[in-house]
Amino acid sequence: MALDDLYREVILDHYSHPRNKGELPDPDIKVEGANPLCGDELSIYVKLDGGRVADVRFVGRGCSISQASASMMTEQIKGKTIDEARALAGRFKAMMQGEPVSQDELGELMALQGVRKFPVRVKCASLSWVALEQGMDEFETAKGKVSARASSEQP
Ligand code: ZN
């Protein structure tokens, strides 16, 4: 199917040429995530400015899905507020759970929707987003700004 081919191309392109790869000095958020089932590891660095993601980078190793997903995530959240990034993480996880989502909401991230057919790989695709959410939680806790929504969310 042509769309599947296109999505595969997008994933392979991000895996072969990861965007925003490397460490970030003095990050506001630094968080690590691991998926021992597959051997995926990620460290994510976020620099905030005026409540927005001014810069974000990652380092990691693991399967193509986990690394491509992290690369795509960095492109998608740059310039967003923490709340906007959280909302996008929510939509991404909804897509992984098989809920209907639209191109308008997720853009290029739609390329990863085929992964949901393979439950083992869903963790690979979600690793960067789960780690990002954890990092944002830790940041807001440190700032004493945890919202009621965040604290009522189930892990
Ligand atoms: Zn993996």
Side-chain angles (χ1 to χ4, degrees):
M1 206 177 125
L3 194 59
D4 279 350
D5 288 343
L6 176 68
Y7 286 162
R8 197 173 302 119
E9 289 273 305
V10 170
I11 292 168
L12 283 176
D13 183 52
H14 275 272
Y15 179 59
S16 312
H17 311 285
R19 323 298 200 263
N20 305 305
K21 191 149 190 196
E23 293 188 20
L24 203 56
D26 302 322
D28 294 298
I29 295 172
K30 178 181 187 296
V31 65
E32 292 173 5
N35 175 20
L37 231 57
C38 182
D40 306 320
E41 293 175 11
L42 287 174
S43 296
I44 296 165
Y45 307 83
V46 179
K47 191 82 186 161
L48 297 166
D49 185 17
R52 287 184 184 274
V53 176
D55 204 356
V56 50
R57 291 189 206 163
F58 81 101
V59 294
R61 56 181 183 173
C63 69
S64 56
I65 299 291
S66 67
Q67 304 303 306
S69 178
S71 171
M72 293 163 99
M73 182 191 76
T74 61
E75 286 202 315
Q76 295 291 327
I77 67 166
K78 207 174 271 194
K80 287 194 162 48
T81 65
I82 285 183
D83 281 350
E84 287 166 351
R86 263 190 212 289
L88 193 57
R91 295 313 294 153
F92 184 83
K93 290 198 293 188
M95 176 174 79
M96 283 295 140
Q97 285 158 16
E99 289 178 33
V101 289
S102 71
Q103 186 87 34
D104 286 349
E105 294 175 306
L106 286 167
E108 196 181 50
L109 299 173
M110 295 285 280
L112 287 162
Q113 69 178 322
V115 171
R116 67 191 181 195
K117 284 181 285 190
F118 310 99
V120 175
R121 309 316 290 283
V122 167
K123 270 193 193 304
C124 303
S126 306
L127 179 62
S128 54
W129 290 98
V130 170
L132 176 72
E133 286 185 311
Q134 185 194 327
M136 293 188 299
D137 284 350
E138 289 169 1
F139 174 77
E140 292 189 321
T141 302
K143 294 269 174 186
K145 283 188 204 161
V146 172
S147 67
R149 172 178 49 83
S151 57
S152 67
E153 251 177 19
Q154 297 302 310

